[in-house]
Amino acid sequence: MNDLSRFFLNPFDSRNVSLSGLLAFTTDHLARLAANDAGGVFAARRAATAAALAAVEQAFTDDETKLGLRKARKQTARAFRKALPAAVARINVAVKAKFGERSPEVAECFPEGRTGFARCPQDSLENHLETLSNGLKAHATDLDAAVLAQAEDLRTNWLTVRQSSQASSGVKAAAEAGRRNARRALQRELFLNLLAQAQNFPLQPEKLNLFMQPSRL
């Protein structure tokens, strides 16, 4: 005897079905349902499937929007890191000019030298910039105010860039989850449609082609 449990499995959940294939299949399927359902037997099924399809399309658009936002903010972070060495070098020169190249003040502001700013990961850059800003503030009476302002601007600007980048990553993850959930919902509606067709046309597998074209998946 055939394994009856397999009829409870949703064939539309297959990993081999691409999103583009699923959308093309569903669009064609809805058109076939409308054309071959003069009595309105599948009207409720059409409405539920159309709503699920619209949700997938919206989730896809939303996901792409969030991806674009995330990429833009990542580019901003990279641009900041690229410009950072030159900005730090100017501050470094000003501190050395005031206190001397091997002075303890230079070591206090640049404990890892200038290269520490270029080589550190993004998560620790804030600490480096804060150390620099605090070191300069400790000797504010001996330094030009513009030097302190430059360091503080670097620190606050990086905080803004970093927080925006992290926020967009979280939003992108949420959008991806929404897209997956919307797709699952559409796949479920298609499965219910398949079951409804089998219920209305028992022992007539040839009727499937009236409503569904599996080759589109």
Side-chain angles (χ1 to χ4, degrees):
M1 182 176 179
N2 291 332
D3 180 7
L4 297 181
S5 65
R6 66 187 179 88
F7 294 105
F8 290 81
L9 301 177
N10 186 350
F12 299 101
D13 285 344
S14 173
R15 293 183 178 180
N16 296 325
V17 178
S18 67
L19 178 62
S20 59
L22 187 68
L23 295 177
F25 173 87
T26 305
T27 301
D28 178 77
H29 169 54
L30 285 171
R32 289 174 178 273
L33 274 179
N36 296 286
D37 186 29
V41 174
F42 300 116
R45 288 280 81 231
R46 288 205 311 273
T49 306
L53 175 62
V56 170
E57 292 173 338
Q58 179 57 49
F60 180 81
T61 301
D62 185 60
D63 188 45
E64 290 300 305
T65 299
K66 299 300 188 298
L67 176 60
L69 178 62
R70 182 169 178 258
K71 285 184 175 179
R73 288 175 172 173
K74 292 294 184 182
Q75 289 175 352
T76 300
R78 286 195 294 270
F80 181 94
R81 294 299 300 262
K82 185 176 181 179
L84 183 61
V88 169
R90 288 192 291 271
I91 297 173
N92 183 264
V93 168
V95 177
K96 287 180 178 179
K98 181 64 180 180
F99 300 109
E101 185 170 350
R102 299 184 181 279
S103 64
E105 289 83 359
V106 171
E108 181 181 355
C109 296
F110 300 90
E112 296 184 29
R114 286 160 41 191
T115 58
F117 293 88
R119 295 177 180 175
C120 71
Q122 291 193 6
D123 290 339
S124 62
L125 180 56
E126 179 185 347
N127 293 333
H128 286 270
L129 292 171
E130 187 171 1
T131 296
L132 173 60
S133 182
N134 290 340
L136 295 173
K137 289 176 182 177
H139 305 284
T141 56
D142 299 313
L143 292 167
D144 191 315
V147 176
L148 278 73
Q150 290 170 15
E152 186 61 17
D153 284 345
L154 287 177
R155 189 185 71 82
T156 56
N157 288 343
W158 173 245
L159 282 177
T160 300
V161 169
R162 182 62 173 159
Q163 289 169 357
S164 295
S165 179
Q166 290 175 328
S168 64
S169 295
V171 169
K172 175 61 169 56
E176 288 177 343
R179 180 173 166 177
R180 287 193 298 271
N181 291 336
R183 174 171 176 161
R184 290 192 189 103
L186 176 58
Q187 291 167 173
R188 182 178 185 277
E189 296 301 337
L190 292 174
F191 182 40
L192 293 178
N193 290 355
L194 179 62
L195 295 177
Q197 289 156 30
Q199 182 180 23
N200 281 274
F201 301 102
L203 304 178
Q204 301 179 68
E206 68 278 4
K207 293 289 188 179
L208 175 66
N209 290 333
L210 282 177
F211 304 101
M212 292 183 170
Q213 291 290 298
S215 60
R216 289 182 173 272
L217 292 172

